[in-house]
Structures are given as structure tokens and as C-alpha cells.
């Protein structure tokens, strides 16, 4: 029974990996096209001195230039002279990639268990604060220097994982034992996380020397160290070690899902809850366990955001958790795919500041693009229909009668 | 765990707590219970509650139609954002205060807001019904697109994620009736979006429970095959239901923006701030009953109104913490109504050509 299921799963996965890849790429192209039209058309509403005049309307924005800045600006303009791989923009891209790998894995693990964790953002917010507070509390009792780094960084990451894991376990338990829809509860818990952490900060953890809502800075040796000798020009908030850890964790999660009993039970619960229950899996416990693991990964994202990027927790947490949803969906919830998708979103994040400095187009465009991307990834049928128009596959009888792309 | 807790038990418990509060408040007017009671009893809290209920109630009633027909529309938050933003920006463009074709520019803005929301709902319908997209993911995408689009467009026009102010709807006062004690100031001296909300709740109830269309919507969600066999086009019913959710959400978003906010803040969670998701919890709690959803929206809006009053009166309350109360209430509500029976075919695309 178990072998059969395993073989079936294996075949499902292999048959769909290529298709998923094609669909993700097609969705990316579609999102870029629609986004380009949006940029061009919205240029008609902006005011500028020089633009493209068509029939008396001035179109201020050039989509090609926007995408040039978005995709090449985020790498530090490799096609222009004097490029070095150690440039500031690429470091930003890789920093975002690192954080998004954790966030994407968080969403992907829950997804594979059949749960939609929209709460990675909240788990990241909570985990980040727990990390900062733990490190700030523990630092005076521990030696400084190299020993301090070796002790405090793992402690901080562990604390973040515990905080995020606890915060993820809540919607898991609510789903398992009270049948409360995890989509709604996690969204609500995001709002609650923002409110509760802001209150905790202002009551106890606020940096007294700053007007910004933020904690005190952790000691420098408690931040994630950079590789000696590898300096990204002017970028102290990205560490190749962190990226290496993210990639290692990604491989570990892929292994956990593919090769362990826990991973097998998690996946079967996601695909066939009845079969999993028949096979002896305690569905309720699996729901709590997978949400806890998912939350812990979100918490790790928060820990790295604190220990790598800022050295402290700030009330204004970026939307890494929501980007994590996009990353996971684009990756087809495959842990190894998360790496590539996280890099793409790292490019989008870093490229948005490039757009902001080099063009007049609002950087919020990137938010629209990732929304479009998710929308297109969600409709593989759309691309299959288009595909069928051009390629004659024997497996496709006249299904187009149900409605075409022209609607 | 929740199986033993019916709605009736929960409502009974809430009622008992309310009575306890009332007694405590009356007996000890200087206590917290007394202070809260005087806030809850003040007319300004009531009018604020009615206005704050508008986006939640209308989005919830719209959501009922979509979900009853078998399409879970989790993107109504996005529809609220789109309608609120576009109604403000169109009013701004036309010039607030003026009027065209004997209709004030606020109403033109309102109409365009509803239209924009309906258009987004149409896209969502095409994606879910014809392209068989995962409804939750597609709904999420609608939300995220709206979340990016509003500040994007706002920055182009206003150079900031927040729009300029365009003023609000005036109160509509019904002569004589507005003199009725209690009901008068609540129902007959109030901005137009409140009338729209009350009318839409009644219309939604009638449409769902008393017409052939309502029966088709329910059948389309419970047993689309049977509806198909009876000769009704499931696809068209679902399209109509999703478009209706867009219209209702549009009325809510545009009404809230023009009647309450007068401007639109597009940063962060935007000025809508999760009211679309609260609406979803509201209709689940109301078990898909439009009038019940209206009542549920009063609960959440009432909490918000009291929080605002507390702040205005200068109580040293942890604002950030109090602001989370409605969200926490949604979770509590969901836990108690976990057993809400979703329509049998909700979430599944219907493919009449297959088999």
C-alpha cells in the first residue's frame, strides 16, 4: 500500500516538474507583458517634460527602460562598463534572496501539507522580535568576540525559530481541533502580530536613544559574520555565509520532505488526507506539526532579517512574508524551486529601488507585478489553452468549447 | 472541540456577558464597566458604528453570493481597496464639490468605484470559472494586485501613496422621521452609504431567499450537476454571483471611502486594513444569511467605534493592542463556528463537458 502510494507520488512529481517549470516561466512572461502595458498606459496620467507623443497624449514611461532597470539594475548593470560581481545592488538582491528562501520555504512546507499559511509575515515579525530580545538579554552574560558570535548567532536563530514556530502552531491547532480556516486565522494573526509586537516594543524594548520605533542594537559580534576577504562594496548587511545557510536549509527541507517518514506523511496528508489517515497518520497532529515547522521557518527569516540586515528589530517590518507566498507558488511549492524563485523576487525587490532612483515610475509597480505573477501561476489552464492553439497534442480533444481566451 | 458549541450557545453566552456588563456598569458608574457602558450608550458611538459597518456588511453580503454559488472569493479585500481608491481619485479628477449632468461628482466617483470593483470581480470570475484557477490563490492575487495598484496609481497622481482629500457625503436627513427618538438619528439622519447598506442587506436577502436566481445560486454551490441537468447554465449563474460580489463590495468600498474617509491612504495595509477579511469571517458566522451578516458587521464595527471613542476621550489605552481586538474576535468567532457547512461544491471548478 505504502509502496504504491510512494510510486504514484513519485510519478506525479516527475510528470509535473517540467510542466510546472514551463507554466512558471510562461506566467512570468505574461506578468511582465501585462505589467509593461500597465506602465505604458499609466504614463499617460503622469506629468513629464519629455515623453512619447501619440495622438496628442504624452506617455511618460518607457516599459523597456523600467524592465532594464528592474532586471539589470538589480544586478548592478552587468552590461555596462566597470561591473564587478561584488557590487552594491547585487548584494541587495542576494540579501533579499536569502531572506526570501526562508520565507518561501515556510509557505511551501505548509502548502505541501495541504495548508495555506498566509501567516508567514506574522511569524516573521514575532520571530524577529524574539530573536532581538533574546540576544539583547543573553549578550551581557556571554563572552564577546568570536566565542560570542558562535554562541549568540545560533541562539538568536533558534529563538526566532521557536517564536515563529509557536506563532505558527496557533493557527495549526485552531485548524486541527476547532476546524477554523487557516487562511483567515493566519491573516488575522498577521494583524495581531503587528499590534502586539508594537505594544511590547513601546512598553519594554524601545531603544531609549532613538525616536524610531526599534529595539536597541545587538552587539556587533552577535550579527551574522561576513566571509573574511569577501566584501561587497559598501554593503555590510549581506553575508554569503547566511546565503549558504539558506541554501543548506533548503536542501535539508527538500530531503526532509522527500526522504523521511515525517515528510512522506506530511505530503500524503496534503494530497490525500483520507489515505494518510488510513495509513495511520494522525491528521490533527500532522496539521499542528507542519504549521509549527512552517512558522519556525518564518521565524528564522525574521531572525536573519534582524541579525544580518539591521542588527536590531524595527517596528516597520517589510512584506517578506507575503513575498514568500509568491515565491512558494511560483516554485510550485517545491523546496528546491524556492531557491530560484527567491532569486527572482530578490531581483524584483532590489530592482524596485533601482526603478525608484533611475526612473519616475513608482516602485510599487513591483507589488503589482508579483500579484500578476501569482494570478497567472494560479491559472495553468490558461496556458494549456494557449499551448493547444499552437501545438497539436493528441491528449487534447476539443475542450475549447467551454470558453476561449477572448472572454 | 467546538462540536458541542452551537451558535445558540455562543450567542447566549455573549448575551449573558452583556447583561452582566450592563448590571455592573449601572451599579458602579465609575468603574471600567461603567465608563465603557457610557461610551457604548453614547449616540456618537452608534452613528460611528453604522458608518464603520458599511464596508464589512456590504463585502460580506457580496461574499455570500459568490461562495454560495461555489466560488470562494477571498479577494473581496482587494475589491474594497480598488473601489475605495478609484472612487476617491475620480471624484478628485472631476473636482469635488462640483457636479456634472445634475449629479454631484461624489456620485460619479461612487459609480466608477463600483464599476472598478465589478471589473476586478469579472477578471476573478474569468480566471476561476473558465480557467479553473485555484480560487484561494487567485483571490489572494486579486488582493495583492489591489494592494500594489492603489499606491502605484496614487503616487503617479499625488506623488504619495496617500490621495488628497475630496470631502465626504453630506448626511441625508428625512424630515419628521428623524425626530423619532433613538431610531431617528440612527436611521433617518445619516450619510447615504448607510441607507445603501441597509437597502442592500434587504435586497440581498430577498434575492437569495425569495427568487429563482437565489435558488440557482444555492444549487450551483451545493449540486451543480443537478442544476445543469435542470437546464440552467452553471457557468452563467456563477458569473452572475461573482459579479454581484463585485457590485456589493464596490458599494461598500466606495461608500466607505466617500462617506467616511474622504481620502485614501494606500500605504501598508491601506485604509481598508483587512475589513474584507473581517467580512469573510462575518458571513461565515452568520451562516450565509445576509441579514445575519449585517448584524455581525455591527459587532465588529461596534468594537472599532468604541476603540475610537476611548481614544478620543483620552483614556490611556494601548492603541495598538486595542486595535487588534476585532481581529482577535474574528478568530474566536471562527473557532466557534468552525462547523459552518461550506457549500458542497465550493472551491471546485465545474466542468459540464467532462464525463
Amino acid at each position: 500500500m505504502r509502496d504504491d502510494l510512494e510510486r504514484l507520488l513519485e510519478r506525479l512529481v516527475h510528470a509535473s516538474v517540467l510542466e510546472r517549470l514551463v507554466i512558471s516561466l510562461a506566467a512570468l512572461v505574461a506578468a511582465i507583458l501585462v505589467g509593461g502595458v500597465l506602465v505604458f498606459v499609466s504614463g499617460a496620467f503622469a506629468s513629464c517634460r519629455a515623453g512619447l507623443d501619440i495622438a496628442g497624449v504624452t506617455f511618460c514611461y518607457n516599459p523597456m527602460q523600467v524592465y532594464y532597470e528592474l532586471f539589470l539594475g538589480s544586478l548592478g548593470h552587468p552590461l555596462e562598463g566597470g561591473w564587478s560581481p561584488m557590487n552594491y545592488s547585487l548584494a541587495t538582491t542576494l540579501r533579499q534572496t536569502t531572506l526570501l528562501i526562508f520565507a518561501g520555504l515556510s509557505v511551501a512546507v505548509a502548502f505541501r501539507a495541504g495548508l495555506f499559511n498566509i501567516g508567514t509575515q506574522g511569524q516573521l515579525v514575532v520571530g524577529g522580535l524574539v530573536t532581538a530580545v533574546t540576544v539583547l538579554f543573553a549578550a551581557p552574560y556571554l563572552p564577546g568576540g568570536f566565542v560570542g558570535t558562535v554562541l549568540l548567532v545560533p541562539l538568536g536563530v533558534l529563538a526566532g525559530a521557536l517564536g515563529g514556530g509557536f506563532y505558527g502552531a496557533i493557527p495549526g491547532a485552531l485548524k486541527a481541533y476547532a476546524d477554523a480556516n487557516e487562511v483567515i486565522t493566519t491573516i488575522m494573526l498577521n494583524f495581531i502580530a503587528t499590534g502586539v509586537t508594537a505594544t511590547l516594543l513601546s512598553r519594554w524594548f524601545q531603544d531609549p536613544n532613538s525616536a524610531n520605533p526599534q529595539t536597541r542594537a545587538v552587539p556587533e559580534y552577535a550579527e551574522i559574520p561576513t566571509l573574511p576577504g569577501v566584501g561587497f562594496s559598501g554593503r555590510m548587511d549581506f553575508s554569503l555565509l547566511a546565503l549558504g545557510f539558506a541554501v543548506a536549509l533548503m536542501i535539508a527541507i527538500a530531503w526532509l520532505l522527500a526522504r523521511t517518514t515525517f515528510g512522506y506523511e506530511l505530503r500524503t496528508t496534503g494530497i490525500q488526507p483520507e489515505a494518510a489517515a488510513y495509513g495511520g497518520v494522525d491528521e490533527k497532529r500532522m496539521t499542528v506539526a507542519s504549521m509549527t515547522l512552517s512558522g519556525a521557518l518564518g521565524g528564522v527569516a525574521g531572525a536573519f532579517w534582524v541579525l544580518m540586515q539591521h542588527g536590531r528589530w524595527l517596528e516597520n517590518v517589510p512584506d517578506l512574508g507575503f513575498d514568500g507566498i509568491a515565491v512558494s507558488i511560483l516554485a510550485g511549492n517545491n523546496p528546491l524551486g524556492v531557491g530560484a524563485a527567491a532569486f527572482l523576487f530578490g531581483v524584483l525587490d532590489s530592482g524596485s529601488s533601482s526603478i525608484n532612483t533611475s526612473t519616475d515610475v513608482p516602485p510599487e509597480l513591483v507589488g503589482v507585478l508579483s500579484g500578476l505573477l501569482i494570478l497567472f501561476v494560479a491559472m495553468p489552464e490558461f496556458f494549456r489553452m494557449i499551448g493547444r492553439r499552437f501545438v497539436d497534442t493528441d491528449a487534447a480533444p476539443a475542450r475549447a468549447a467551454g470558453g476561449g481566451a477572448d472572454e | 472541540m467546538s462540536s458541542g458549541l452551537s451558535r445558540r450557545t455562543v450567542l447566549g453566552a455573549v448575551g449573558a456577558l452583556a447583561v452582566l456588563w450592563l448590571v455592573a456598569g449601572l451599579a458602579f458608574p465609575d468603574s471600567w464597566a461603567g465608563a465603557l457602558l457610557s461610551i457604548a450608550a453614547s449616540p456618537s458611538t452608534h452613528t460611528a458604528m453604522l458608518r464603520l459597518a458599511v464596508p464589512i456588511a456590504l463585502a460580506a453580503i457580496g461574499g455570500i453570493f459568490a461562495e454560495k454559488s461555489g466560488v470562494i472569493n477571498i479577494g473581496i479585500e482587494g475589491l474594497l481597496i480598488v473601489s475605495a481608491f478609484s472612487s476617491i481619485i475620480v471624484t478628485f479628477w472631476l473636482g469635488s464639490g462640483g457636479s456634472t449632468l445634475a449629479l454631484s461628482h461624489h456620485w460619479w466617483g461612487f459609480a466608477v468605484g463600483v464599476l472598478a470593483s465589478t471589473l476586478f470581480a469579472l477578471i476573478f470570475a474569468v480566471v476561476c470559472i473558465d480557467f479553473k484557477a485555484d480560487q484561494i490563490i487567485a483571490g489572494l492575487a486579486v488582493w495583492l494586485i489591489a494592494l500594489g495598484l492603489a499606491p502605484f496609481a496614487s503616487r503617479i497622481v499625488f506623488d504619495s501613496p496617500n490621495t488628497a482629500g475630496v470631502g465626504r457625503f453630506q448626511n441625508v436627513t428625512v424630515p419628521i422621521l428623524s425626530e423619532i427618538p433613538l431610531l431617528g438619528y440612527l436611521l433617518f439622519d445619516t450619510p447615504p452609504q448607510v441607507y445603501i447598506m441597509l437597502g442592500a442587506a434587504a435586497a440581498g436577502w430577498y434575492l437569495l431567499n425569495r427568487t429563482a436566481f437565489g435558488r440557482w445560486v444555492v444549487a450551483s454551490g451545493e449540486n451543480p450537476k443537478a442544476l445543469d441537468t435542470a437546464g440552467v447554465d452553471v457557468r452563467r449563474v456563477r458569473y452572475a454571483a461573482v459579479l454581484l460580489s463585485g457590485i456589493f463590495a464596490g458599494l461598500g468600498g466606495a461608500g466607505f471611502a466617500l462617506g467616511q474617509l474622504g481620502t485614501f491612504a494606500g500605504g501598508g495595509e491601506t485604509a481598508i486594513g483587512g475589513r474584507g477579511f473581517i467580512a469573510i469571517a462575518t458571513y461565515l458566522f452568520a451562516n450565509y444569511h445576509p441579514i445575519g451578516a449585517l448584524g455581525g458587521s455591527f459587532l465588529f464595527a461596534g468594537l472599532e467605534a468604541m476603540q475610537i471613542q476611548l481614544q478620543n476621550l483620552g483614556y490611556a489605552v494601548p492603541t495598538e493592542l486595542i486595535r487588534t481586538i476585532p481581529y482577535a474576535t474574528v478568530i474566536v468567532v471562527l473557532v466557534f463556528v468552525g462547523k459552518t457547512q461550506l457549500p458542497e461544491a465550493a472551491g471546485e471548478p465545474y466542468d459540464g463537458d467532462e464525463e
Side-chain angles (χ1 to χ4, degrees):
Chain A
M1 155 92 191
R2 187 183 157 145
D3 280 352
D4 282 352
L5 247 171
E6 185 101 59
R7 231 173 292 139
L8 178 76
L9 284 176
E10 207 92 316
R11 217 175 319 140
L12 268 175
V13 167
H14 284 298
S16 61
V17 160
L18 183 69
E19 197 196 43
R20 286 242 44 124
L21 196 67
V22 172
I23 286 171
S24 292
L25 286 176
L28 181 62
V29 172
I32 287 175
L33 285 177
V34 175
V37 172
L38 174 74
V39 167
F40 184 71
V41 172
S42 56
F45 297 92
S47 49
C48 55
R49 253 176 265 142
L52 182 65
D53 281 305
I54 299 175
V57 183
T58 311
F59 292 91
C60 290
Y61 302 150
N62 176 359
M64 299 303 281
Q65 189 210 353
V66 170
Y67 285 127
Y68 177 83
E69 286 302 331
L70 184 59
F71 290 111
L72 294 179
S74 58
L75 307 176
H77 295 107
L79 301 183
E80 291 168 15
W83 184 76
S84 124
M86 297 288 131
N87 68 73
Y88 185 91
S89 300
L90 184 60
T92 312
T93 303
L94 293 178
R95 183 194 73 205
Q96 294 303 102
T97 306
T98 307
L99 298 175
L100 287 171
I101 287 178
F102 297 126
L105 284 176
S106 162
V107 181
V109 163
F111 242 124
R112 292 302 280 275
L115 298 161
F116 205 162
N117 181 11
I118 318 247
T120 296
Q121 180 70 22
Q123 292 140 18
L124 186 155
V125 167
V126 170
L129 182 62
V130 173
T131 298
V133 169
T134 307
V135 170
L136 282 170
F137 177 80
Y141 302 101
L142 294 172
F146 181 70
V147 183
T149 307
V150 170
L151 291 174
L152 280 174
V153 170
L155 177 73
V157 173
L158 190 69
L162 286 176
F166 167 74
Y167 208 63
I170 297 173
L174 291 176
K175 166 84 176 181
Y177 299 105
D179 209 10
N181 185 310
E182 83 279 6
V183 174
I184 311 278
T185 53
T186 51
I187 291 172
M188 292 301 129
L189 284 166
N190 286 341
F191 288 111
I192 294 173
T194 309
V196 170
T197 52
T199 311
L200 290 175
L201 180 78
S202 62
R203 288 279 151 123
W204 288 295
F205 305 128
Q206 170 66 32
D207 177 2
N209 301 318
S210 167
N212 259 354
Q214 59 186 29
T215 64
R216 283 182 293 126
V218 300
E220 202 157 305
Y221 58 81
E223 292 185 29
I224 293 175
T226 47
L227 273 184
V230 187
F232 283 89
S233 53
R235 261 274 172 233
M236 294 307 291
D237 56 8
F238 165 64
S239 158
L240 274 174
L241 280 176
L243 180 60
F245 178 76
V247 172
L249 189 64
M250 180 178 92
I251 294 169
I253 294 288
W255 176 82
L256 178 84
L257 287 180
R259 292 274 175 268
T260 65
T261 313
F262 175 76
Y264 170 81
E265 292 182 352
L266 187 146
R267 283 178 296 135
T268 33
T269 311
I271 299 171
Q272 274 290 349
E274 292 86 5
Y278 186 71
V281 180
D282 184 338
E283 199 192 331
K284 291 183 193 303
R285 273 179 58 187
M286 184 46 78
T287 299
V288 180
S290 46
M291 279 304 286
T292 309
L293 177 60
S294 172
L297 287 163
V300 170
F304 275 79
W305 176 68
V306 166
L307 295 181
M308 178 175 75
Q309 191 171 344
H310 293 291
R312 53 159 51 107
W313 187 86
L314 292 88
E315 190 182 300
N316 194 1
V317 184
D319 281 346
L320 289 162
F322 292 121
D323 286 346
I325 299 172
V327 165
S328 178
I329 290 176
L330 187 66
N333 309 314
N334 180 331
L336 295 180
V338 163
F343 181 69
L344 175 70
F345 275 83
V347 164
L348 292 181
D349 272 358
S350 163
S352 77
S353 36
S354 183
I355 288 180
N356 201 17
T357 48
S358 310
T359 74
D360 294 326
V361 177
E364 280 87 353
L365 170 71
V366 171
V368 183
L369 277 183
S370 54
L372 286 170
L373 194 53
I374 297 180
L375 189 68
F376 281 115
V377 176
M379 42 197 261
E381 198 68 15
F382 173 70
F383 297 109
R384 285 193 199 112
M385 277 180 191
I386 292 182
R388 256 176 241 134
R389 293 226 165 152
F390 296 104
V391 191
D392 241 349
T393 48
D394 36 340
R399 269 272 289 290
D406 49 334
E407 263 167 303
Chain B
M1 237 166 117
S2 69
S3 47
L5 285 160
S6 69
R7 269 183 192 74
R8 197 161 292 182
T9 331
V10 175
L11 286 175
V14 171
L17 274 176
V19 170
L20 198 69
W21 174 28
L22 197 68
V23 172
L26 287 173
F28 309 100
D30 295 329
S31 67
W32 264 101
L36 280 176
L37 192 67
S38 71
I39 287 174
S42 86
S44 55
T45 307
H46 301 157
T47 46
M49 181 191 79
L50 273 178
R51 292 166 189 214
L52 290 168
V54 167
I56 302 174
L58 283 161
I61 294 163
I64 289 174
F65 279 94
E67 190 155 324
K68 268 288 178 191
S69 83
V71 183
I72 301 171
N73 187 354
I74 208 159
I76 43 181
E77 170 85 3
L79 301 182
L80 285 178
I81 294 176
V82 163
S83 53
F85 173 76
S86 48
S87 68
I88 294 279
I89 203 164
V90 167
T91 310
F92 173 81
W93 265 332
L94 294 172
S96 64
S99 61
T100 303
L101 295 174
L103 202 57
S104 98
H105 287 157
H106 275 83
W107 285 108
W108 283 107
F110 184 81
V112 174
V114 176
L115 202 67
S117 161
T118 314
L119 198 70
F120 260 62
L122 177 67
I123 296 172
F124 178 73
V126 172
V127 167
C128 288
I129 299 170
D130 278 332
F131 295 132
K132 303 181 179 60
D134 183 303
Q135 293 170 4
I136 303 290
I137 299 181
L140 203 65
V142 168
W143 173 42
L144 291 176
I145 291 172
L147 210 53
L149 205 53
F152 173 78
S154 179
R155 226 181 250 281
I156 291 174
V157 180
F158 302 101
D159 236 355
S160 143
N162 306 329
T163 70
V166 298
R168 303 176 203 170
F169 281 134
Q170 299 289 315
N171 272 19
V172 178
T173 311
V174 183
I176 303 166
L177 287 179
S178 61
E179 306 294 322
I180 303 173
L182 206 68
L183 279 182
Y185 75 87
L186 273 180
L187 298 181
F188 301 108
D189 181 17
T190 184
Q193 78 269 19
V194 173
Y195 295 106
I196 292 174
M197 168 179 75
L198 298 174
W205 173 83
Y206 182 80
L207 197 57
L208 192 63
N209 295 304
R210 289 285 179 276
T211 65
F213 174 72
R215 285 193 294 278
W216 294 343
V217 167
V218 175
S220 155
E222 294 293 347
N223 194 344
K225 191 90 204 153
L227 187 65
D228 200 4
T229 313
V232 180
D233 189 342
V234 173
R235 192 173 146 263
R236 284 172 82 171
V237 172
R238 288 189 172 181
Y239 259 100
V242 174
L243 286 180
L244 261 180
S245 79
I247 293 171
F248 277 112
L251 292 171
F256 183 56
L258 290 170
Q260 174 78 14
L261 302 170
T263 171
F264 189 81
E269 305 289 350
T270 78
I272 297 300
R275 289 187 172 84
F277 297 115
I278 292 180
I280 294 174
T282 304
Y283 72 66
L284 290 177
F285 183 51
N287 205 8
Y288 305 104
H289 194 294
I291 305 293
L294 180 69
S297 74
F298 290 163
L299 168 73
F300 291 112
L303 282 170
E304 201 185 342
M306 285 186 63
Q307 173 231 318
I308 294 170
Q309 287 290 320
L310 273 173
Q311 258 172 277
N312 287 350
L313 292 175
Y315 282 94
V317 288
T319 324
E320 298 284 354
L321 205 60
I322 297 224
R323 206 169 282 162
T324 62
I325 289 177
Y327 306 123
T329 314
V330 166
I331 294 180
V332 173
V333 161
L334 274 189
V335 166
F336 286 131
V337 299
K339 294 287 173 219
T340 297
Q341 198 62 49
L342 245 63
E344 192 65 33
E348 296 163 14
Y350 177 68
D351 201 340
D353 308 337
E354 275 182 353
E355 291 155 67

